[in-house]
Amino acid sequence: MSLWLVRPLLCTCVLAAVMAENLGAAEARRYASSDSDAGYVHWIDLYDTSNRKITADSTLPYSPQNTCGRCHDEQTISHGWHFNAFALGSTQGRPSEPWIWDDARTGTQLPLSYRSQPETQRSTFDPRDIGLTPWRMASQFGARFPGGGFGTPEQAAGPAPETAENTDDSESPIPQSPRWDFSGNLEIDCMVCHATSGQYDFESRRHHIDDENFAWAPTAAMHLATVEGRVSRIKDDADPEDEKTQAALPKLSYDAERFAPDGTVFFDLVREPDNNACYQCHTTVHVNDDGMEPAWIHDEDVHLRAGMKCVDCHRNGLDHDTVRGFPGEKRADGFSVSTLSCQGCHLGEESSGLASEKITSRAGRLGSPTPLHAGLPPVHFERLSCTACHSGAVPRDEATRIMTSLAHSLGAKERRTGFESPQIQGPIYRKLADGKIYPERIMWPAFWGILEGDAITPLNPDDVFEWTRRPLRVRKSFIEELASDPEKFDEKVGASLAAIETETGAEQAVYVSSGAVYGRLEDEAGNFSLELLPGDFGAAQPVSWPIAHNVRPAGWALGAAGCVECHSDEGKIFTSVVKPLGPAPLDAEPVTMASLQGLDAAQLMRWNQLFAGRSSFKVLVAISLAILFVIMLIGVGSVAGLLTRRLSSEGESKS
């Protein structure tokens, strides 16, 4: 090609590159940054859901996206760990706690997750496969996540999941609910995490989300205005443009005293979230036979006790890709976070050899001590996670019931007995994909579904409630009204399965609980009865997720009292049991930790016997060595005396 043709082409490419670079720089400059460790004082203008500036006379709620997004890259933030799982189907490392759809009226405790889960958590189900729309997920679980994801139809939109009828090549969008027109979006609410402790009213936010006032919840939580009205009272077939519908939407009245003369409003916020914000979704309570155990008998996490904050380890940048702290964690931005894991912080990580990385891979971050692990054979680091010995409640003879914020709405002002569903237990000890033993929480799913071959597909819990409302006739609690009476259980569950088969046209409807599968079977006389179906059904298997906190100090770690604390017939890490629990009146056989770890009971017993006599063996060896030493001393003395006498006799003979 001649030079006169190449030169314009090169100039065009260079110009395009320069323009792209300038556009990128301009995009970056569009967002504000103080670039200082000092907190920026936020006297800011508020913008409503229509992107108009708010005054004391405005009638629409404030929009975090339109307000905060003027200075901060909301699009980048929306890909953060707390927001991205719902629509992007992301997975990163080990399993996380699923959303558990709990309906006490139908005996349902169904674990749900948009994330791709590893084999150890195979009993979680994608909400899209069950026909649960993003809006329905937001109305069910919105009070326990900070918004975005399935809380906004724009982020939740995308290709439907792969099923038998819908492959990866499908362009079918996720079905959306018309109720978005009434509720508005449940946007990412920055102040959930970044408001100073005590300023943000989480209870008010939960109350309005339960009333389907999604768009109004951030305004109410910050007490910027009084909000009255409930979207939940508007019928599904209402016309959004109708005057009556518009009149039924929530009404608000802004607090004029919150506005400065120039129209700005003061937001008292922090860059690093306080622990109180984390506790709203990450609190755990243990339950004994008498109910919820009081908090004062349990110790605080050793790191928090030392004055640390959650975000000291669980950090993130603008992308809000929060560090989870598990071994081998990788980040898309390439930054190393290895020293923010237990092992990396306390023991250090192997360096790649580059001089610039040797310091950043050392132990001692944030002043953490280096544990000695005196006398602990290296094989323990190959087969045990740090959390196996140091995290969670001290193991007992049997795993105890557990309540969590996500599953049991801890923090909401209501009375709890401790025995509410879903029935989560822990700690249990099982091996994960890396071959190490981890402490986990565990739950057996309970749901209604359709059996085809060996596969069970859960049914939409809203549909189940409508189809079984008459045959079940449960007013409040499936467990209280049916599980205590096996005959009534058989009768009503059998009738409900018949109703589901009639509604769906399926040949075999089933009810899953405690790892068992119930179905209607016909005898030779044509009579149906409720029976346990034989077989190993994957959908009935338990779901589990790791325990990381509370971390116990060295003196409370497993093994601190010696080898026999684990390697004995009473070693809880192997002999503790967990009993499959569910709404059905089934007395399931307990499962030992050894079986969860794939260990042979006879081999484990022989191994424990070796350790049982280990102390006596050490004493015997010490005594034997002492006796041998004395004998050697006597022998040496005898030899020395003999030589002395011989030398003396030889000297006398020469004389």
Side-chain angles (χ1 to χ4, degrees):
M1 184 181 295
S2 60
L3 184 61
W4 67 274
L5 289 175
V6 174
R7 184 176 296 171
L9 182 60
L10 289 174
C11 292
T12 302
C13 293
V14 171
L15 180 60
V18 171
M19 290 179 64
E21 182 178 356
N22 289 338
L23 286 173
E27 181 68 14
R29 287 194 299 270
R30 189 168 73 87
Y31 301 106
S33 177
S34 67
D35 299 319
S36 171
D37 289 339
Y40 183 81
V41 179
H42 281 70
W43 280 99
I44 58 176
D45 292 319
L46 303 185
Y47 290 84
D48 63 23
T49 50
S50 295
N51 207 17
R52 291 177 297 193
K53 185 177 177 179
I54 291 176
T55 66
D57 298 323
S58 295
T59 58
L60 291 179
Y62 114 90
S63 163
Q65 178 176 330
N66 293 334
T67 301
C68 304
R70 272 176 159 69
C71 295
H72 304 282
D73 188 353
E74 192 269 342
Q75 185 61 36
T76 297
I77 293 170
S78 69
H79 291 81
W81 173 255
H82 286 90
F83 325 116
N84 67 4
F86 317 123
L88 305 180
S90 70
T91 180
Q92 184 181 9
R94 66 184 188 180
S96 54
E97 180 176 358
W99 300 107
I100 302 175
W101 189 292
D102 178 64
D103 189 346
R105 301 166 300 179
T106 59
T108 298
Q109 47 187 43
L110 184 62
L112 303 169
S113 178
Y114 287 104
R115 300 187 190 276
S116 302
Q117 299 293 353
E119 182 64 18
T120 54
Q121 207 181 19
R122 59 185 178 276
S123 292
T124 57
F125 304 95
D126 192 312
R128 295 166 292 188
D129 293 333
I130 304 173
L132 292 169
T133 65
W135 186 91
R136 191 65 185 93
M137 289 290 290
S139 63
Q140 184 77 6
F141 302 111
R144 293 291 163 174
F145 86 106
F150 58 59
T152 52
E154 295 83 4
Q155 292 186 44
E162 182 179 1
T163 62
E165 297 81 19
N166 176 36
T167 64
D168 283 338
D169 297 330
S170 173
E171 296 295 333
S172 303
I174 300 173
Q176 297 293 343
S177 169
R179 296 198 65 80
W180 288 119
D181 294 331
F182 311 134
S183 66
N185 292 352
L186 188 59
E187 299 176 359
I188 296 174
D189 189 351
C190 308
M191 300 303 285
V192 165
C193 295
H194 293 287
T196 54
S197 183
Q199 182 192 14
Y200 194 90
D201 190 344
F202 290 92
E203 184 66 12
S204 178
R205 180 179 189 267
R206 289 190 281 262
H207 168 74
H208 282 282
I209 292 176
D210 288 341
D211 288 338
E212 301 178 9
N213 301 344
F214 295 172
W216 290 265
T219 303
M222 287 294 293
H223 287 278
L224 297 170
T226 57
V227 180
E228 297 180 354
R230 301 179 183 177
V231 169
S232 57
R233 294 180 175 179
I234 301 177
K235 296 181 178 180
D236 290 345
D237 58 356
D239 182 0
E241 304 299 329
D242 186 77
E243 291 184 1
K244 291 184 179 180
T245 304
Q246 291 292 320
L249 292 174
K251 302 296 185 294
L252 56 77
S253 175
Y254 281 97
D255 181 0
E257 294 184 358
R258 296 291 299 270
F259 293 81
D262 62 356
T264 58
V265 175
F266 176 60
F267 270 28
D268 191 8
L269 52 80
V270 291
R271 177 179 295 153
E272 295 183 349
D274 292 325
N275 291 347
N276 184 65
C278 304
Y279 293 152
Q280 299 296 327
C281 296
H282 299 286
T283 294
T284 298
V285 174
H286 289 268
V287 179
N288 58 30
D289 293 339
D290 299 323
M292 298 173 64
E293 293 182 348
W296 63 267
I297 70 172
H298 292 277
D299 292 333
E300 191 177 28
D301 186 285
V302 67
H303 300 97
L304 300 179
R305 185 65 179 167
M308 295 177 64
K309 297 171 60 177
C310 302
V311 294
D312 286 336
C313 295
H314 301 290
R315 305 180 181 188
N316 62 263
L318 180 63
D319 58 6
H320 284 63
D321 186 10
T322 304
V323 173
R324 300 178 65 200
F326 57 82
E329 183 173 6
K330 304 294 183 183
R331 292 177 57 85
D333 55 22
F335 286 108
S336 174
V337 293
S338 62
T339 54
L340 292 177
S341 67
C342 301
Q343 179 175 330
C345 193
H346 288 275
L347 299 176
E349 292 284 347
E350 293 184 3
S351 173
S352 64
L354 297 177
S356 60
E357 292 186 2
K358 288 182 179 179
I359 289 181
T360 59
S361 64
R362 292 178 185 172
R365 191 163 195 169
L366 297 174
S368 61
T370 300
L372 299 177
H373 291 118
L376 189 66
V379 68
H380 289 79
F381 300 105
E382 299 174 5
R383 299 183 181 180
L384 293 170
S385 65
C386 300
T387 53
C389 299
H390 289 277
S391 292
V394 176
R396 312 176 192 184
D397 292 334
E398 184 174 350
T400 61
R401 293 277 294 270
I402 290 176
M403 303 183 76
T404 72
S405 291
L406 291 183
H408 299 94
S409 299
L410 302 182
K413 190 173 68 174
E414 59 187 58
R415 183 176 178 82
R416 299 176 182 83
T417 65
F419 299 101
E420 290 82 2
S421 59
Q423 294 153 306
I424 302 172
Q425 301 176 83
I428 65 159
Y429 295 89
R430 65 187 303 184
K431 288 183 181 179
L432 296 188
D434 60 2
K436 292 184 178 182
I437 297 173
Y438 287 80
E440 292 193 306
R441 302 184 182 101
I442 193 169
M443 186 203 76
W444 273 264
F447 61 89
W448 305 77
I450 300 299
L451 175 63
E452 294 179 334
D454 293 332
I456 301 176
T457 303
L459 291 168
N460 187 312
D462 288 329
D463 293 338
V464 167
F465 174 72
E466 292 298 327
W467 297 336
T468 64
R469 183 166 49 181
R470 288 190 175 182
L472 275 181
R473 294 193 297 277
V474 171
R475 296 183 179 181
K476 186 177 180 181
S477 172
F478 184 98
I479 295 178
E480 293 177 5
E481 299 180 33
L482 297 185
S484 58
D485 188 341
E487 291 186 3
K488 183 184 293 186
F489 173 85
D490 290 352
E491 174 190 348
K492 292 196 171 185
V493 170
S496 298
L497 292 176
I500 291 174
E501 290 169 358
T502 300
E503 291 286 347
T504 62
E507 294 184 5
Q508 181 76 76
V510 294
Y511 177 64
V512 175
S513 176
S514 309
V517 178
Y518 295 84
R520 292 199 318 144
L521 295 180
E522 184 178 9
D523 60 19
E524 295 180 354
N527 299 316
F528 285 91
S529 62
L530 187 68
E531 303 288 346
L532 288 175
L533 303 183
D536 183 16
F537 301 97
Q541 298 304 308
V543 58
S544 63
W545 58 97
I547 293 174
H549 300 284
N550 287 342
V551 176
R552 305 190 302 274
W556 278 70
L558 284 181
C563 302
V564 293
E565 187 171 1
C566 293
H567 297 294
S568 68
D569 293 341
E570 291 79 32
K572 300 297 185 289
I573 194 171
F574 301 119
T575 62
S576 177
V577 300
V578 59
K579 191 172 184 179
L581 296 180
L586 178 68
D587 189 16
E589 288 293 325
V591 180
T592 66
M593 300 302 106
S595 64
L596 288 176
Q597 297 162 26
L599 298 177
D600 178 72
Q603 181 181 3
L604 184 62
M605 183 179 297
R606 290 193 296 270
W607 182 251
N608 289 340
Q609 289 173 348
L610 293 176
F611 280 89
R614 189 172 182 180
S615 298
S616 301
F617 178 73
K618 288 180 178 179
V619 173
L620 180 61
V621 169
I623 294 173
S624 300
L625 289 174
I627 294 173
L628 181 61
F629 182 71
V630 171
I631 293 173
M632 290 176 63
L633 287 177
I634 294 173
V636 169
S638 300
V639 171
L642 180 62
L643 290 174
T644 301
R645 288 194 297 272
R646 179 174 294 181
L647 290 173
S648 298
S649 61
E650 288 180 356
E652 291 175 357
S653 61
K654 288 181 180 180
S655 299

